[in-house]
Amino acid sequence: MINLKKENPIKTLTQSKLILYTALFLVLFDNYSFFSNVLKVYPLNITNIGPLLSLGFVLFAVIVLLFTLLSSKFTTKPILIIVVIVSSLTNYFMNTYHIVVDESMIRNTMQTNINESMDLLSIKQVVYFLFLGLLPAWYIYKAEIYYRGFKSELIAKVKLIALALAIVGVSAFAFGGFYASFLREHKPLRFTTNPTYWIYSLGKYISLTYNSGPIVLKAIGEDATIESSDKMKKIVIMVVGEAARADHFSLNGYERETNPLLKKEDIINFSNTFSCGTSTAESVPCMFSVYDRSDYSYKKGISTENVVDVLKHTNKIALLWRDNNSDSKGVALRIPYQNYKSAKNNTICENGECRDVGMLVGLDDFIEKNRDKDIFIVLHQMGNHGPEYYKRYPKAFEKFTPTCKTNQLEQCSEAEVNNAYDNALLYTDYFLTQTIDFLKKYNSNYKTAMIYMSDHGESLGEGGLYLHGLPYFIAPDAQKHIGTIMWFDEKMKQDFDVKKLKANSDKEFSQDNLFSTLLGLFKVKTEVYEAQKDMLR
Ligand SMILES: [Zn+2]
C-alpha cells in the first residue's frame, strides 16, 4: 500500500500517522450501512453534496479524536487492533441484518453462548473478518512505530486534537442547518456509525451494568397533612404542556392572536417563567421534584418521592395522571395512571392522533367517585410536539397558512414552520379553555383551579436550530422560556391576594417553584413546603 524506500522504512511511521490511517480505513470500509442510510434521508444532489462530504470528514475527525485521547506507547496498538477487528464484525452484522449495536444488543450478546454464536457464522462473515478485520490488524501489529520524546509526542497529540476539532467546528459552521436536522430529527442515523456507536454502547452497557445498584426510593414529606377549616373541597387540574415557548403566546405580546379564548378568561399569566431542562424526560420529573434545577439529576429524581407523592401522603387528595404525551417520566409511578394516547381510553382520536381534549372525557366519574376528597388531576398534553406540528390540531384550527407538512423542518420556509406551530398553540388555547369550562361546572360545590405549565420551549429555525434538547447552558431562551398560566374560580381566589399576584405576574419564576406552589394551593402542612418558593404567596 505505502511505498517506503528509506533504509529503515517502517520507522518513519509515527503514532499520529497510524491513527490517521486507521481512522481513514474505518470511515472508508466499515461504514457502508451508515452512508447508505444517510443517502436515503439526504439524497445525493447539488444541495446535499457539501453537507454529505463534510459528514464523512466529521466521522473521521471524531474517530481520530477518540483514538488520540486513548493513545499512548502502550495503548495505541492494542486499542486499534481490537477496534478494527470488532468493527469488521459489527460492519458485517449491520450490513447483513440491518441491526444496531446498542447497549441491549451487547447485553444479549454477552448472554449468548458460543454454540448459538456459531449458528450465525457464514462465509460472508469470514470474508469480512479476514479482509476488514485480521488484515489491517496484522498490519497494525507489525508496524514499527517511531516514538519521539515525550514533548514531541504531546505536541503531535495536541495537533491531532486541534485538527479534529477544527474539522468538526468548520463543518458545524458551514452546514449548521444540516447538522441540526441530522442530530435532532434523524437520531437513528448515528446508530450505524462504526466504530463510534458500538464503543458508545459498550460504555453505556458497562456503566449501566456495574454502576447501578437497585434504586431505593427516598420518601419525603411523610408528615404532610391538610389542616384546613375549608368546608369546600378543591379540584385542581394541572396541565403539563409540551414544547410551548412563551414568546409565541399573544398573552405575552406575540403579534399573532394565539390566545383568542384564554384572553377572555380571568387568568393570571406568568410571563417570565423558565424550564428546568430542554427535554420532556428532563423537565417533567424535575418540575415535580423537590430539587431545584441546580441540584437536580436524573438519578436523584427517580430515587426521591415527588410532590405528587407528598400530596398522596395527606390521604385527603384523590390523584390521577392522564397522559397523551409519552408517559409521566416516573412522576406518576405511585398514583393512578391512564394512557390517553391510545384510542382504547381516548374517545377523540383521528388517524392515529389522539386529541388533548379527549383527556377531559369521563373526569366527572372520577370526581363523583371521590366525593369526600380533594381532587388533583394531571393532564400531560401532546401540545406542540414536533416536528410534525401540523398533525397536532384538527383542520378547524388551521388559521395560519401555508403550513409545513413534513417532518424535515429545514425543507420548509420559516413562515410555514411558524404557521404550523402557531396553529398547534391555538389548539392548546382551546384545550385550556375547555378545561376551565369543565371546572366551572363545579363552582357551586368546589373551589377549583387550573394550572398550566409547559415542559420546555422549542426552536423554530432561528440560527438553523429546530426542536429542543440542547444542553441547558447553550440552549437559546426559545427552548427554556415557557408558557405558564393559572386560573382560579371566585372562591379559590379568596385564598390569595389576587391583585398583588397579577401585579407581580411578570416576576421571574421557574419550574423550581411548582413543588411548593402545589402544596400551598392545597394548604398542605409539611416540612418540605417552602413558602418563599410558592408562586401564590
Ligand atoms: Zn417535551
Side-chain angles (χ1 to χ4, degrees), residues 215-218 285 296-305 329-330 333-334:
I215 287 155
V216 183
L217 185 71
K218 185 180 147 204
Y296 176 83
S297 72
Y298 169 74
K299 192 142 194 197
K300 271 179 161 176
I302 50 163
S303 54
T304 312
E305 286 187 340
K329 307 297 169 198
L333 291 178
R334 294 163 291 275

Side-chain angles (χ1 to χ4, degrees), residues 241-243 278-281 283-284 325 380 385 454-457 468:
E242 172 59 49
T278 62
S279 68
T280 312
S283 283
V284 172
N325 190 298
H380 189 194
H385 196 288
S454 181
D455 59 347
H456 49 77
H468 52 265

Side-chain angles (χ1 to χ4, degrees), residues 355-506:
R355 299 295 175 208
D356 290 330
V357 287
M359 291 193 285
L360 295 170
V361 177
L363 283 183
D364 296 303
D365 297 338
F366 180 78
I367 294 168
E368 175 64 27
K369 272 183 206 144
N370 292 286
R371 246 196 293 183
D372 53 331
K373 285 183 163 180
D374 285 338
I375 307 272
F376 182 60
I377 297 165
V378 180
L379 305 177
H380 189 194
Q381 265 192 286
M382 183 51 109
N384 278 48
H385 196 288
E388 291 164 313
Y389 309 120
Y390 70 100
K391 288 188 175 169
R392 302 287 104 88
Y393 50 85
K395 191 79 188 155
F397 289 83
E398 198 170 76
K399 182 172 155 196
F400 308 111
T401 55
T403 57
C404 180
K405 287 210 159 64
T406 160
N407 58 7
Q408 290 192 42
L409 296 172
E410 73 285 358
Q411 290 179 358
C412 292
S413 71
E414 202 160 313
E416 289 169 329
V417 174
N418 277 284
N419 286 342
Y421 182 87
D422 290 345
N423 289 332
L425 263 194
L426 267 182
Y427 185 65
T428 286
D429 176 71
Y430 169 75
F431 169 58
L432 295 180
T433 316
Q434 288 292 106
T435 307
I436 292 169
D437 283 346
F438 173 87
L439 290 169
K440 282 177 182 169
K441 293 189 302 187
Y442 289 93
N443 281 176
S444 45
N445 301 317
Y446 285 90
K447 289 181 168 184
T448 59
M450 193 273 301
I451 312 283
Y452 166 76
M453 193 179 258
S454 181
D455 59 347
H456 49 77
E458 189 86 330
S459 282
L460 295 169
E462 301 94 343
L465 291 176
Y466 290 93
L467 304 170
H468 52 265
L470 276 187
Y472 201 86
F473 67 101
I474 56 163
D477 270 2
Q479 297 188 18
K480 301 184 289 199
H481 184 198
I482 50 170
T484 304
I485 288 160
M486 298 188 194
W487 172 89
F488 308 103
D489 73 16
E490 291 309 317
K491 292 187 200 89
M492 187 75 106
K493 272 184 201 158
Q494 290 162 11
D495 287 355
F496 349 96
D497 186 345
V498 175
K499 240 188 186 164
K500 208 171 151 197
L501 274 180
K502 283 189 177 172
N504 290 320
S505 65
D506 58 350

Side-chain angles (χ1 to χ4, degrees), residues 68-86:
T68 308
L69 291 173
L70 299 172
S71 69
S72 76
K73 196 167 179 175
F74 305 102
T75 54
T76 305
K77 272 194 176 188
I79 286 174
L80 295 184
I81 288 170
I82 291 168
V83 168
V84 290
I85 289 177
V86 176

